Amino acid sequence: MAGEPRSGHNDAVRLAESLRAGDVIALTEVYDAYAPFLFDYCHGLLRDRVEAAGALRNCVIAAREHADRLTEPERLRGWLYAIARKECMRRRDSPNRHTGQEAPEADDGLSPEQLERRDERRKLAHSALAALSGRQREAIDLHVRHELDEVDLCGVLGVPLEDVYPLVEQARRDLGAGVRAALIAQSHLGDCPAAAGLADSWPLPPQAAGALVRHVAECQVCGTRELSVPPPDRLLAVLPIAAIPSDLRLTVLTAATDDDRAGNRRAIAAWTEPFDEYGWPLPYESLVTRAKEKPQRRRGPVYAVVGAGVTAVVVLAGALTAFGGEDDGASALPEISAQPSISGASGGPVPTESAPIDPSPTSSSPSPTESSKSPTPSETPSETPSRTPTSEAPPDPPATTDRPERPAPGDLRVSGCSMGRDESCGITIRAVGGSVTWRVTGTSGEVSASGSGRLSPGESATVTVSRPDEWCWGEESGSVSFSPGGSAPVSYC
């Protein structure tokens, strides 16, 4: 994303460590550095400014509550995107989801002539992107416009690391094919009657874009035409950026720090769970996908794979010139509109998952007012991985048999307790089938409990539950809730 204020490696580490320490000033810095672009990303997934504002608010709250989980503080920025995406997917499943209020576009001060030229390029970009699958569009948007590297994409999209490079590479190839087809539809339809019959509207709708790409690949007239194709970063740079509401900053920071809202923050933080071994939130799963067994995300030897993969991706960025993509046929996603909004919609990706089932009442989401304020490019320095161009594709990664697998997450088993007339009792918790990072998320009845920690496979611990020092009248009961999952009954008197 042109002019994006990205926090450098040292700043990310400093901010992550400060968040772990509960530094409120660091939370403000995180918002100022990342919020404008997280809001644009959320708006691209949700297509509503109220929902995007609520998702950003919950993302900041969850980041503060879970900052101690992140094992790679230098990857704070990508981690925030992963939290934001999970919250957006959850909101898409909500029956109370707010719709119909897209955010205005950030004002970039262009003249009327420049706006007209940009609108034409934007139509070209929409036509090229229409040929891609939803997952490809999101991957290319995150990689090119938001400048996330392969390890970040692994965490954000929930794709095994060894599959991220092929995903991005294929998306670039298909984007190049989509741009060529769109350029032919824009200026050269008169040379081929068959192509003209496939493109009877502009910008191209998804079905026509895909058909035209296939035609160009087979047509002797269209396929041999010499065209000047823009690179992906230039093509995607013309897409609109949703303007973050100017009054959202105070709303978010108040919700994230107000002492009276501590209980609400704990509930919001619980929506982000569970996390993987690296402290990244696992992708959101609706009830439909939860019923199916899905392959786990694997990181393996992170930097060995990325060292070769990132270099080749950058080479392809210069060689391929447009937003084309292929439909992998694996996801039932909403297609790009045949007539995309030019003045008011964000150019963000189309989501690749359905939204969460957990109905989060979006009526509590802030209702931001429209603002033309655009993100300030100079707020925070940009971090760009050092990449060495090469003319050859990277060697194939080593066989996965030599690659350490990420340990499978375990289950948390809990057992209740009875105080009788005592003032406390102990709940036993145990990790089964793998390691578990646990925490107490709430209680019911006149009991209190707290605690968090990590259990190795088979390891157990005791959580103390207490009640007020008051006289009892008959048997009472309550419960203690744990994350990830589980509730232990407690009786007393």
Side-chain angles (χ1 to χ4, degrees), residues 422-445:
D422 295 332
E423 295 179 2
S424 65
C425 66
I427 292 175
T428 300
I429 61 175
R430 185 164 59 93
V432 178
S435 300
V436 175
T437 300
W438 65 273
R439 64 181 296 187
V440 174
T441 58
T443 62
S444 67

Side-chain angles (χ1 to χ4, degrees), residues 273-310:
E273 298 170 343
F275 290 77
D276 69 9
E277 295 296 304
Y278 301 90
W280 288 64
L282 296 178
Y284 173 80
E285 294 183 356
S286 65
L287 287 184
V288 175
T289 55
R290 286 173 194 168
K292 301 177 181 178
E293 183 177 355
K294 299 179 66 177
Q296 293 186 357
R297 179 173 67 207
R298 293 184 299 172
R299 291 277 290 274
V302 168
Y303 299 104
V305 177
V306 172
V310 167

Side-chain angles (χ1 to χ4, degrees), residues 30-60:
V30 167
Y31 183 93
D32 292 340
Y34 304 122
F37 313 100
L38 289 169
F39 178 81
D40 175 73
Y41 177 60
C42 292
H43 186 270
L45 292 172
L46 297 168
R47 290 299 177 194
D48 183 87
R49 63 188 179 93
V50 175
E51 287 292 333
L56 175 61
R57 177 201 61 202
N58 289 359
C59 172
V60 173

Side-chain angles (χ1 to χ4, degrees), residues 170-205:
Q170 189 62 51
R172 289 184 178 277
R173 287 200 191 102
D174 293 343
L175 184 57
V179 173
R180 283 186 55 83
L183 287 170
I184 289 172
Q186 186 181 50
S187 306
H188 301 285
L189 287 180
D191 300 334
C192 178
L198 294 172
D200 56 357
S201 63
W202 184 254
L204 297 173

Side-chain angles (χ1 to χ4, degrees), residues 63-115:
R64 186 190 185 195
E65 296 293 315
H66 293 301
D68 59 335
R69 295 178 180 269
L70 182 60
T71 62
E72 302 161 308
E74 68 276 8
R75 295 201 169 274
L76 173 65
R77 183 169 174 271
W79 184 70
L80 290 171
Y81 273 83
I83 294 175
R85 186 180 194 273
K86 188 168 188 176
E87 173 64 15
C88 289
M89 295 298 103
R90 190 185 66 81
R91 285 173 172 267
R92 282 176 56 85
D93 261 355
S94 172
N96 300 320
R97 179 184 174 190
H98 190 279
T99 58
Q101 293 188 22
E102 290 198 13
E105 182 177 349
D107 182 17
D108 47 14
L110 298 181
S111 66
E113 294 77 13
Q114 291 173 323
L115 288 173

Side-chain angles (χ1 to χ4, degrees), residues 294-458:
K294 299 179 66 177
Q296 293 186 357
R297 179 173 67 207
R298 293 184 299 172
R299 291 277 290 274
V302 168
Y303 299 104
V305 177
V306 172
V310 167
T311 301
V313 169
V314 170
V315 175
L316 290 168
L320 296 177
T321 58
F323 294 54
E326 91 176 342
D327 192 338
D328 56 16
S331 57
L333 305 169
E335 296 181 329
I336 292 180
S337 170
Q339 297 293 335
S341 170
I342 298 301
S343 61
S346 162
V350 174
T352 63
E353 301 179 51
S354 60
I357 280 260
D358 186 358
S360 98
T362 56
S363 59
S364 63
S365 299
S367 299
T369 57
E370 294 189 359
S371 168
S372 61
K373 178 182 177 182
S374 62
T376 304
S378 60
E379 289 185 12
T380 312
S382 170
E383 173 195 13
T384 304
S386 174
R387 301 170 177 177
T388 305
T390 175
S391 59
E392 297 181 359
D396 292 333
T400 56
T401 54
D402 299 328
R403 181 175 298 155
E405 296 272 341
R406 185 190 68 179
D411 294 323
L412 184 68
R413 302 288 173 83
V414 301
S415 60
C417 68
S418 176
M419 299 183 197
R421 293 188 177 274
D422 295 332
E423 295 179 2
S424 65
C425 66
I427 292 175
T428 300
I429 61 175
R430 185 164 59 93
V432 178
S435 300
V436 175
T437 300
W438 65 273
R439 64 181 296 187
V440 174
T441 58
T443 62
S444 67
E446 296 296 323
V447 300
S448 61
S450 63
S452 62
R454 182 175 180 79
L455 299 175
S456 300

